[in-house]
PDB file of all heavy atoms in Angstrom:
ATOM      1  N   ARG A 151     102.054 117.890 118.731  1.00  0.00           N
ATOM      2  CA  ARG A 151     102.633 119.167 118.407  1.00  0.00           C
ATOM      3  C   ARG A 151     102.343 119.583 117.116  1.00  0.00           C
ATOM      4  O   ARG A 151     102.133 118.847 116.176  1.00  0.00           O
ATOM      5  CB  ARG A 151     104.185 119.013 118.607  1.00  0.00           C
ATOM      6  CG  ARG A 151     104.671 118.681 119.952  1.00  0.00           C
ATOM      7  CD  ARG A 151     106.198 118.797 120.118  1.00  0.00           C
ATOM      8  NE  ARG A 151     106.801 117.756 119.270  1.00  0.00           N
ATOM      9  CZ  ARG A 151     107.008 116.437 119.540  1.00  0.00           C
ATOM     10  NH1 ARG A 151     106.663 115.918 120.753  1.00  0.00           N
ATOM     11  NH2 ARG A 151     107.597 115.630 118.587  1.00  0.00           N
ATOM     12  N   ALA A 152     102.228 120.948 116.920  1.00  0.00           N
ATOM     13  CA  ALA A 152     101.877 121.608 115.711  1.00  0.00           C
ATOM     14  C   ALA A 152     102.792 121.227 114.641  1.00  0.00           C
ATOM     15  O   ALA A 152     102.424 121.002 113.461  1.00  0.00           O
ATOM     16  CB  ALA A 152     101.986 123.080 115.776  1.00  0.00           C
ATOM     17  N   LEU A 153     104.088 120.965 114.940  1.00  0.00           N
ATOM     18  CA  LEU A 153     105.053 120.502 113.844  1.00  0.00           C
ATOM     19  C   LEU A 153     104.619 119.257 113.268  1.00  0.00           C
ATOM     20  O   LEU A 153     104.895 119.109 111.997  1.00  0.00           O
ATOM     21  CB  LEU A 153     106.395 120.404 114.557  1.00  0.00           C
ATOM     22  CG  LEU A 153     107.575 119.873 113.695  1.00  0.00           C
ATOM     23  CD1 LEU A 153     107.842 121.019 112.528  1.00  0.00           C
ATOM     24  CD2 LEU A 153     108.909 119.715 114.452  1.00  0.00           C
ATOM     25  N   ILE A 154     104.214 118.340 114.064  1.00  0.00           N
ATOM     26  CA  ILE A 154     103.716 117.095 113.497  1.00  0.00           C
ATOM     27  C   ILE A 154     102.390 117.267 112.608  1.00  0.00           C
ATOM     28  O   ILE A 154     102.294 116.844 111.467  1.00  0.00           O
ATOM     29  CB  ILE A 154     103.435 116.011 114.498  1.00  0.00           C
ATOM     30  CG1 ILE A 154     104.806 115.663 115.253  1.00  0.00           C
ATOM     31  CG2 ILE A 154     102.734 114.716 113.936  1.00  0.00           C
ATOM     32  CD1 ILE A 154     104.693 114.734 116.408  1.00  0.00           C
ATOM     33  N   ARG A 155     101.346 117.932 113.249  1.00  0.00           N
ATOM     34  CA  ARG A 155     100.163 118.165 112.511  1.00  0.00           C
ATOM     35  C   ARG A 155     100.294 118.911 111.187  1.00  0.00           C
ATOM     36  O   ARG A 155      99.622 118.638 110.329  1.00  0.00           O
ATOM     37  CB  ARG A 155      99.153 118.727 113.487  1.00  0.00           C
ATOM     38  CG  ARG A 155      98.717 117.910 114.584  1.00  0.00           C
ATOM     39  CD  ARG A 155      97.619 118.565 115.496  1.00  0.00           C
ATOM     40  NE  ARG A 155      98.171 119.564 116.391  1.00  0.00           N
ATOM     41  CZ  ARG A 155      97.926 120.951 116.016  1.00  0.00           C
ATOM     42  NH1 ARG A 155      97.298 121.317 114.944  1.00  0.00           N
ATOM     43  NH2 ARG A 155      98.393 121.888 116.801  1.00  0.00           N
ATOM     44  N   LEU A 156     101.120 119.948 111.229  1.00  0.00           N
ATOM     45  CA  LEU A 156     101.366 120.714 110.097  1.00  0.00           C
ATOM     46  C   LEU A 156     102.195 120.023 109.120  1.00  0.00           C
ATOM     47  O   LEU A 156     102.086 120.346 107.877  1.00  0.00           O
ATOM     48  CB  LEU A 156     101.790 122.131 110.425  1.00  0.00           C
ATOM     49  CG  LEU A 156     100.984 122.962 111.429  1.00  0.00           C
ATOM     50  CD1 LEU A 156     101.726 124.299 111.741  1.00  0.00           C
ATOM     51  CD2 LEU A 156      99.679 123.326 110.649  1.00  0.00           C
ATOM     52  N   GLY A 157     103.068 119.148 109.553  1.00  0.00           N
ATOM     53  CA  GLY A 157     104.024 118.567 108.704  1.00  0.00           C
ATOM     54  C   GLY A 157     103.375 117.365 107.871  1.00  0.00           C
ATOM     55  O   GLY A 157     103.845 116.963 106.833  1.00  0.00           O
ATOM     56  N   ILE A 158     102.297 116.831 108.405  1.00  0.00           N
ATOM     57  CA  ILE A 158     101.568 115.673 107.758  1.00  0.00           C
ATOM     58  C   ILE A 158     101.180 116.147 106.314  1.00  0.00           C
ATOM     59  O   ILE A 158     101.445 115.471 105.363  1.00  0.00           O
ATOM     60  CB  ILE A 158     100.514 115.200 108.599  1.00  0.00           C
ATOM     61  CG1 ILE A 158     100.991 114.417 109.804  1.00  0.00           C
ATOM     62  CG2 ILE A 158      99.577 114.288 107.768  1.00  0.00           C
ATOM     63  CD1 ILE A 158      99.969 113.965 110.708  1.00  0.00           C
ATOM     64  N   PRO A 159     100.383 117.324 106.186  1.00  0.00           N
ATOM     65  CA  PRO A 159      99.988 117.679 104.793  1.00  0.00           C
ATOM     66  C   PRO A 159     101.121 117.795 103.821  1.00  0.00           C
ATOM     67  O   PRO A 159     100.977 117.520 102.657  1.00  0.00           O
ATOM     68  CB  PRO A 159      99.162 118.996 105.047  1.00  0.00           C
ATOM     69  CG  PRO A 159      98.663 118.899 106.489  1.00  0.00           C
ATOM     70  CD  PRO A 159      99.830 118.197 107.252  1.00  0.00           C
ATOM     71  N   LEU A 160     102.177 118.456 104.284  1.00  0.00           N
ATOM     72  CA  LEU A 160     103.374 118.629 103.512  1.00  0.00           C
ATOM     73  C   LEU A 160     103.955 117.272 103.075  1.00  0.00           C
ATOM     74  O   LEU A 160     104.348 117.162 101.902  1.00  0.00           O
ATOM     75  CB  LEU A 160     104.462 119.408 104.255  1.00  0.00           C
ATOM     76  CG  LEU A 160     105.867 119.723 103.538  1.00  0.00           C
ATOM     77  CD1 LEU A 160     105.589 120.386 102.250  1.00  0.00           C
ATOM     78  CD2 LEU A 160     106.810 120.368 104.409  1.00  0.00           C
ATOM     79  N   ALA A 161     103.994 116.300 103.993  1.00  0.00           N
ATOM     80  CA  ALA A 161     104.566 115.064 103.709  1.00  0.00           C
ATOM     81  C   ALA A 161     103.693 114.338 102.667  1.00  0.00           C
ATOM     82  O   ALA A 161     104.233 113.698 101.723  1.00  0.00           O
ATOM     83  CB  ALA A 161     104.684 114.130 104.958  1.00  0.00           C
ATOM     84  N   VAL A 162     102.337 114.542 102.684  1.00  0.00           N
ATOM     85  CA  VAL A 162     101.397 113.900 101.782  1.00  0.00           C
ATOM     86  C   VAL A 162     101.695 114.524 100.390  1.00  0.00           C
ATOM     87  O   VAL A 162     101.771 113.810  99.400  1.00  0.00           O
ATOM     88  CB  VAL A 162      99.981 114.105 102.356  1.00  0.00           C
ATOM     89  CG1 VAL A 162      99.152 113.559 101.162  1.00  0.00           C
ATOM     90  CG2 VAL A 162      99.762 113.252 103.597  1.00  0.00           C
ATOM     91  N   LYS A 163     101.851 115.833 100.477  1.00  0.00           N
ATOM     92  CA  LYS A 163     101.986 116.573  99.125  1.00  0.00           C
ATOM     93  C   LYS A 163     103.225 116.123  98.470  1.00  0.00           C
ATOM     94  O   LYS A 163     103.327 116.064  97.208  1.00  0.00           O
ATOM     95  CB  LYS A 163     102.089 118.173  99.394  1.00  0.00           C
ATOM     96  CG  LYS A 163     101.968 118.895  98.110  1.00  0.00           C
ATOM     97  CD  LYS A 163     101.903 120.365  98.418  1.00  0.00           C
ATOM     98  CE  LYS A 163     102.020 121.302  97.236  1.00  0.00           C
ATOM     99  NZ  LYS A 163     101.814 122.727  97.524  1.00  0.00           N
ATOM    100  N   LEU A 164     104.310 115.912  99.301  1.00  0.00           N
ATOM    101  CA  LEU A 164     105.617 115.400  98.686  1.00  0.00           C
ATOM    102  C   LEU A 164     105.700 113.967  98.378  1.00  0.00           C
ATOM    103  O   LEU A 164     106.650 113.406  97.977  1.00  0.00           O
ATOM    104  CB  LEU A 164     106.735 115.777  99.698  1.00  0.00           C
ATOM    105  CG  LEU A 164     106.992 117.218  99.941  1.00  0.00           C
ATOM    106  CD1 LEU A 164     107.986 117.472 101.042  1.00  0.00           C
ATOM    107  CD2 LEU A 164     107.400 117.927  98.621  1.00  0.00           C
ATOM    108  N   ARG A 165     104.524 113.222  98.710  1.00  0.00           N
ATOM    109  CA  ARG A 165     104.337 111.741  98.428  1.00  0.00           C
ATOM    110  C   ARG A 165     105.339 110.954  99.281  1.00  0.00           C
ATOM    111  O   ARG A 165     105.664 109.910  98.827  1.00  0.00           O
ATOM    112  CB  ARG A 165     104.598 111.572  96.876  1.00  0.00           C
ATOM    113  CG  ARG A 165     103.479 112.291  96.057  1.00  0.00           C
ATOM    114  CD  ARG A 165     103.756 111.991  94.624  1.00  0.00           C
ATOM    115  NE  ARG A 165     102.824 112.730  93.701  1.00  0.00           N
ATOM    116  CZ  ARG A 165     102.718 112.496  92.368  1.00  0.00           C
ATOM    117  NH1 ARG A 165     103.615 111.819  91.851  1.00  0.00           N
ATOM    118  NH2 ARG A 165     101.744 113.156  91.728  1.00  0.00           N
ATOM    119  N   ILE A 166     105.629 111.513 100.508  1.00  0.00           N
ATOM    120  CA  ILE A 166     106.459 110.580 101.327  1.00  0.00           C
ATOM    121  C   ILE A 166     105.574 110.115 102.500  1.00  0.00           C
ATOM    122  O   ILE A 166     106.151 109.572 103.410  1.00  0.00           O
ATOM    123  CB  ILE A 166     107.658 111.446 101.848  1.00  0.00           C
ATOM    124  CG1 ILE A 166     107.267 112.703 102.594  1.00  0.00           C
ATOM    125  CG2 ILE A 166     108.589 111.730 100.694  1.00  0.00           C
ATOM    126  CD1 ILE A 166     108.408 113.398 103.099  1.00  0.00           C
ATOM    127  N   ALA A 167     104.296 110.417 102.521  1.00  0.00           N
ATOM    128  CA  ALA A 167     103.439 109.834 103.460  1.00  0.00           C
ATOM    129  C   ALA A 167     101.990 109.672 102.755  1.00  0.00           C
ATOM    130  O   ALA A 167     101.652 110.488 101.879  1.00  0.00           O
ATOM    131  CB  ALA A 167     103.229 110.794 104.722  1.00  0.00           C
ATOM    132  N   PRO A 168     101.265 108.816 103.327  1.00  0.00           N
ATOM    133  CA  PRO A 168      99.885 108.672 102.853  1.00  0.00           C
ATOM    134  C   PRO A 168      98.872 109.615 103.358  1.00  0.00           C
ATOM    135  O   PRO A 168      99.295 110.291 104.380  1.00  0.00           O
ATOM    136  CB  PRO A 168      99.461 107.252 103.203  1.00  0.00           C
ATOM    137  CG  PRO A 168     100.278 107.082 104.539  1.00  0.00           C
ATOM    138  CD  PRO A 168     101.434 107.815 104.214  1.00  0.00           C
ATOM    139  N   PRO A 169      97.673 109.897 102.769  1.00  0.00           N
ATOM    140  CA  PRO A 169      96.778 110.842 103.504  1.00  0.00           C
ATOM    141  C   PRO A 169      96.473 110.240 104.914  1.00  0.00           C
ATOM    142  O   PRO A 169      96.226 109.175 105.087  1.00  0.00           O
ATOM    143  CB  PRO A 169      95.465 110.596 102.583  1.00  0.00           C
ATOM    144  CG  PRO A 169      96.121 110.312 101.244  1.00  0.00           C
ATOM    145  CD  PRO A 169      97.208 109.439 101.480  1.00  0.00           C
ATOM    146  N   VAL A 170      96.434 111.212 105.829  1.00  0.00           N
ATOM    147  CA  VAL A 170      96.082 110.918 107.146  1.00  0.00           C
ATOM    148  C   VAL A 170      95.073 111.694 107.741  1.00  0.00           C
ATOM    149  O   VAL A 170      94.858 112.996 107.541  1.00  0.00           O
ATOM    150  CB  VAL A 170      97.484 111.232 107.998  1.00  0.00           C
ATOM    151  CG1 VAL A 170      97.147 110.923 109.590  1.00  0.00           C
ATOM    152  CG2 VAL A 170      98.665 110.342 107.490  1.00  0.00           C
ATOM    153  N   ASN A 171      94.115 111.059 108.621  1.00  0.00           N
ATOM    154  CA  ASN A 171      93.052 111.677 109.284  1.00  0.00           C
ATOM    155  C   ASN A 171      93.453 112.182 110.629  1.00  0.00           C
ATOM    156  O   ASN A 171      94.186 111.446 111.285  1.00  0.00           O
ATOM    157  CB  ASN A 171      91.811 110.819 109.395  1.00  0.00           C
ATOM    158  CG  ASN A 171      91.375 110.206 108.232  1.00  0.00           C
ATOM    159  OD1 ASN A 171      91.110 110.917 107.322  1.00  0.00           O
ATOM    160  ND2 ASN A 171      91.287 108.786 108.160  1.00  0.00           N
ATOM    161  N   ILE A 172      93.228 113.411 111.046  1.00  0.00           N
ATOM    162  CA  ILE A 172      93.562 113.895 112.366  1.00  0.00           C
ATOM    163  C   ILE A 172      92.392 114.080 113.238  1.00  0.00           C
ATOM    164  O   ILE A 172      91.508 114.795 112.858  1.00  0.00           O
ATOM    165  CB  ILE A 172      94.418 115.223 112.259  1.00  0.00           C
ATOM    166  CG1 ILE A 172      95.677 115.007 111.449  1.00  0.00           C
ATOM    167  CG2 ILE A 172      94.682 115.773 113.558  1.00  0.00           C
ATOM    168  CD1 ILE A 172      96.506 116.247 111.187  1.00  0.00           C
ATOM    169  N   PHE A 173      92.306 113.329 114.326  1.00  0.00           N
ATOM    170  CA  PHE A 173      91.252 113.381 115.241  1.00  0.00           C
ATOM    171  C   PHE A 173      91.760 112.998 116.632  1.00  0.00           C
ATOM    172  O   PHE A 173      92.846 112.532 116.897  1.00  0.00           O
ATOM    173  CB  PHE A 173      90.047 112.365 114.850  1.00  0.00           C
ATOM    174  CG  PHE A 173      90.534 110.937 114.509  1.00  0.00           C
ATOM    175  CD1 PHE A 173      90.901 110.161 115.518  1.00  0.00           C
ATOM    176  CD2 PHE A 173      90.718 110.492 113.175  1.00  0.00           C
ATOM    177  CE1 PHE A 173      91.450 108.837 115.259  1.00  0.00           C
ATOM    178  CE2 PHE A 173      91.074 109.323 113.011  1.00  0.00           C
ATOM    179  CZ  PHE A 173      91.447 108.426 114.025  1.00  0.00           C
ATOM    180  N   SER A 174      90.880 113.313 117.597  1.00  0.00           N
ATOM    181  CA  SER A 174      91.310 113.047 118.994  1.00  0.00           C
ATOM    182  C   SER A 174      90.761 111.782 119.456  1.00  0.00           C
ATOM    183  O   SER A 174      89.947 111.042 118.841  1.00  0.00           O
ATOM    184  CB  SER A 174      90.695 114.252 119.905  1.00  0.00           C
ATOM    185  OG  SER A 174      89.338 113.988 119.965  1.00  0.00           O
TER     186      SER A 174
END
Side-chain angles (χ1 to χ4, degrees):
R151 296 186 299 274
L153 179 62
I154 294 176
R155 290 187 288 105
L156 297 176
I158 289 173
L160 177 60
V162 172
K163 186 175 182 180
L164 294 175
R165 299 181 182 180
I166 57 176
V170 176
N171 306 307
I172 297 178
F173 49 76
S174 68

